[in-house]
Amino acid sequence: MLEIGSSLTLAQLQGVADGSTGAVLGEAARERVAHNRAYVARLVAAGETVYGVTTGFGRFATTTIDAGQVTQLQHNLLRSHAVGVGAPLAPPLVRAMLLLRAQSLALGASGVRPALIDALLAMLNAGVVPQVPAKGSLGASGDLAPLAHMALPLIGEGFAAVAGEVLTGAQALTAAGLEPVELKAKEGLALINGTQLMSAQLAAGVTLARRLLQVADVAAAMSVEGLMGSHMPFHPAVTRLRPHPGAAVVSDNLRRLLADSDLNRAHADCGRVQDAYSLRAVPQVHGASRDALAHVTAVLEIELNSVTDNPLILSDSEEVVSAGNFHGQPLALAADYAAIAMAELANISERRVEQLVNPALSGLPGFLTEQGGLNSGLMVAQYTAAALVSENKVLAHPASVDSIPTSANQEDHVSMGALATRKLLEVLDNVAYVLAVEVMAAAQALDLRAPLTAAKAVGAAKLRVRELVEPLGSDRYLAGDLAVLKEAVVDGSLVAAAAQ
């Protein structure tokens, strides 16, 4: 069981998101939260005017609320802000949101009771998955609408799934043996003022992107062998002379993947001077994407351990500070950067596919079929890759350059971080399919190179492909093959085969 309230890692978050572990509030964090809450109680008892505690929200920040209406104010906040639209988020994303919101509150600057964090985690641990529409956040005062949908089941409202069945919030709590929570001063605001949808989506994106970066190196090595490309561009001196960290990692990966190759020995004296950039510049292109993702990961790791609430309750100095920690700009920029970087992996991968299927470039049968004309081979598989690459060019346009004022111009600059992180996930899904097309084509090319054999690691990757799909003889239904190979790209089994 994960104890929250101290340092949270991406791996720990993913463990909770995929349902393999639960979470509880750590004792040190519990004491910190209780101390922080006591200061809020003193403010309320003294009749102090504090935004979101004894006032309305947004444009209504100057409207004072009677002490007897504090609970209604907090409940009304959740109800009024739950106006998201679109398909419900996948359960792993919602579980990640629940954990991340609890983690932010547990850092002790939000003024909530420990009991509220316990209730969030109880819902998470009991398998209650709030129904959270994917769209509606501006990524500015946090992910207001999505977090309101996430929080409503806590008070017995909204909707949630239990064991896959969608129930009302009240029914879901009953099914899980839980009771509704009555929110106290500040708690409704604390539940929805944060970046947890953006963070959850970016975390899912970073996790998948890391796998795809590994697969891209394996796919490139398979293509280099299938095209009888030179290994010299991966000489260690190349990246020593231009020492970008990602390029050095990729170059090292390629050298290991391509070690001990009969195919390479067979064309040692072929007379070809240089390969196309999509082969020769793999370390430089893949490496740049790796370096970009390293920056994005660093941004995310800070966010996982940040308080993104407003106002901030600084109980040690007895201050209440209205600021902008809820603003999603750091995540929005990072997600846009990641989308651009990962789209480039698909761009160069599709160009290697073209090298493989074009007989003028590969020296192999056109579209990798030995009975061209009667059969189209992998002709249209390349079309699919090209379509996905083109779609990614649209999706890679940055969302973070947009802004639209809301709340009577009180919230006059927004990040669009929820959109940036959501479209990053779309980009990554497309990249996974493009890489699947490449490994399909490269495996076919390697079959056509027989009896020459590829490097051992490349051969192991090809064997994994052949465990999943047969070599292409006569034309057959390929969409099923592509779907299976995409899963091998995403689940890491292709990389594992090469690594072993």
Side-chain angles (χ1 to χ4, degrees), residues 63-80:
T63 303
T64 302
I65 307 299
D66 291 338
Q69 297 177 309
V70 165
T71 292
Q72 184 180 348
L73 171 69
Q74 302 302 318
H75 287 216
N76 283 350
L77 180 66
L78 300 190
R79 293 164 183 148
S80 65

Side-chain angles (χ1 to χ4, degrees), residues 365-377:
F367 306 107
L368 301 175
T369 178
E370 293 186 288
Q371 292 182 305
L374 177 63
N375 295 297
S376 295

